[in-house]
Amino acid sequence: MGFSVMSKKLPTIWKAEPHTIAKIELLSAYLKAWFSILGTKPPRRNAELLYVDGFAGPGEYTNHPTGSPIVAVEAATSALNTHEARWRAGDIHCAFVELDAARMENLERKLKSVSFHPRVHPSTYTTSFVNGLDAIKTARPSPFSRAEPLFVFIDPFGATGAPFTAVADILRSRTSEVLINLDADGIARIFRAGDDANRGVLLTEIFGGTSWRESPSFDADFDVQCRQVLDLYKRRLRSLPGIGYVFAFEMRGKLDSINYFLVFASGHPLGLEKMKEAMKSIDQGGAYAFCDADVGQSLLFRFDDPAEFARRLFERHKGKRVPYEELRDYALNDTPFANPKRMLKWIEENDLIESVELLPGKTRCRGTFSEDAVNAVVFRQGAIHAQG
Ligand SMILES: C[S@@+](CC[C@H](N)C(=O)[O-])C[C@H]1O[C@@H](n2cnc3c(N)ncnc32)[C@H](O)[C@@H]1O
């Protein structure tokens, strides 16, 4: 049974599955980094930081004390306390949108029970994500239009409620980022529903246009379809101006794959770097897996084994001179790593690098590929013989 189907029966507060707790931990770890970095190095002095939780929930679970809004105000407080002396940004605003009045009531009660820094300002909107976003934009327009940091967490139940036009609108600003819980399972079911009238309306809303019509081959296996949905969604995000970094983490149930994904999109490499570090830092306990970029393949990933991805990096770039920045972007978008260093080390150990071009005045030791020293890498044309 898909998550979207399950969720319809849930009471005001429900029991969190392990992957839900992992999702909240990932968000918490990322927000600590996000508030800390932007608080101490804002794009301009006193720029306010705006965090929006578009599907906030009740703030707690029957088996877990903190929902996403609570970890957000805690992360904001912790960043302000830790970096008080070096804080250069303005205040932190946390806006929570929740459609269900009983859940919002619970959240408001819960928010009153936690103590947070006086420079953290929570606000609540009992309405839909789309209407809430409009209201937040009216109250705090600058993060939506200027270079003031904005992070939006979009965590609906199921496939609908977060139209692509809203996501695109958020990502119009230079410093905005989103983390979206994409219910590929639910979306694939909509595709499967056949050509009934509503299908076209829903899919056009989810993907922001009609590109879905050319996409998934809907006679494929259901798991493959879910990955095709993810692939199409990522392509839609990448098509937005300035959005160079898009990555998905697969979330797994206890028994088998449940086909939903956390999709992160940003215009800045540091954002994705920190998101990957956050993922690595949480206790995964099998609740998360790296989701391979190739449709139709799922790879349980081990962070300590770069060989598989080093092979792919080499195959993609063999016989070419590749600037370091391009290798970094490849590592961020197409591998689970935050940088290409360990993959390049593996490639060099296997004698597949022709030469390493250094920046003026720099030197390097074999096996090291620091972004401060390396300008470009020239890969051999050859075939990989290495094992392991
Ligand atoms: C998956 S839960 C959110 C969990 C929460 N983000 C967390 O991590 O603790 C989704 C929430 O969205 C609410 N919701 C459903 N449709 C909505 C809509 N269109 N706009 C805003 N909230 C909605 C539901 O009532 C539910 O509380």
Side-chain angles (χ1 to χ4, degrees), residues 147-187:
E148 293 204 338
L150 168 65
F151 183 94
V152 183
F153 180 41
I154 302 174
D155 185 25
F157 279 148
T160 55
F164 193 80
T165 47
V167 177
D169 194 35
I170 293 161
L171 290 173
R172 222 189 300 279
S173 151
R174 265 198 308 124
T175 51
S176 54
E177 296 181 345
V178 293
L179 182 64
I180 305 166
N181 184 345
L182 185 77
D183 180 13
D185 193 294
I187 299 172

Side-chain angles (χ1 to χ4, degrees), residues 3 14 23-24 53-58 61 67-69 97-100 103 127-129 153 155-157 161:
F3 188 64
W14 62 97
K23 171 180 71 181
I24 293 167
D53 190 335
F55 296 78
Y61 293 87
S68 55
V97 185
E98 168 59 51
L99 184 60
D100 183 294
R103 288 188 180 135
T127 183
S128 69
F129 169 59
F153 180 41
D155 185 25
F157 279 148

Side-chain angles (χ1 to χ4, degrees), residues 48-52 91-97 121-125 127 130-146 148 150 169:
E48 71 176 47
L49 311 186
L50 176 59
Y51 169 74
V52 176
D91 288 1
I92 298 178
H93 294 268
C94 298
F96 304 118
V97 185
H121 307 283
S123 52
T124 56
Y125 297 81
T127 183
V130 171
N131 290 342
L133 206 60
D134 278 346
I136 296 163
K137 219 166 147 179
T138 306
R140 324 212 71 79
S142 60
F144 289 88
S145 58
R146 290 214 310 263
E148 293 204 338
L150 168 65
D169 194 35

Side-chain angles (χ1 to χ4, degrees), residues 13-16 20-22 24-25 59-67 71 110:
I13 305 173
W14 62 97
K15 183 170 179 248
T20 300
I21 295 171
I24 293 167
E25 282 175 4
E60 63 183 322
Y61 293 87
T62 53
N63 59 335
H64 190 71
T66 49
V71 299
K110 185 82 190 162

